[in-house]
Amino acid sequence: MADELKTVGRFPDQMSAEIAAGMLRANGIPAEIFGQDSTYPCLNAGYVSVELKVNPEDYEPARKLLAANERAE
């Protein structure tokens, strides 16, 4: 099933991905998180390993929601 999903975002840590996934889910868009960051922070520096994926039909609405959230911060 993961092959059918589209990556809508990449995050430097699990918490950031969880927050974005929660926002998408709250807006009716199913989202899944793939990958994990290391428990050793120094290994995470400069390495994006956590991806947020959605169904292809939800890609554009998810991308717009994530972009709107970035502008709001």
Side-chain angles (χ1 to χ4, degrees), residues 6 8 29 54-65:
K6 287 187 78 170
V8 73
I29 299 174
V54 297
N55 293 316
E57 62 271 14
D58 294 325
Y59 178 79
E60 283 302 318
R63 190 184 62 74
K64 288 178 183 176
L65 277 170

Side-chain angles (χ1 to χ4, degrees), residues 33-49:
I33 298 170
F34 291 85
Q36 287 189 344
D37 54 344
S38 172
T39 56
Y40 298 99
C42 63
L43 296 178
N44 294 331
Y47 179 70
V48 177
S49 60

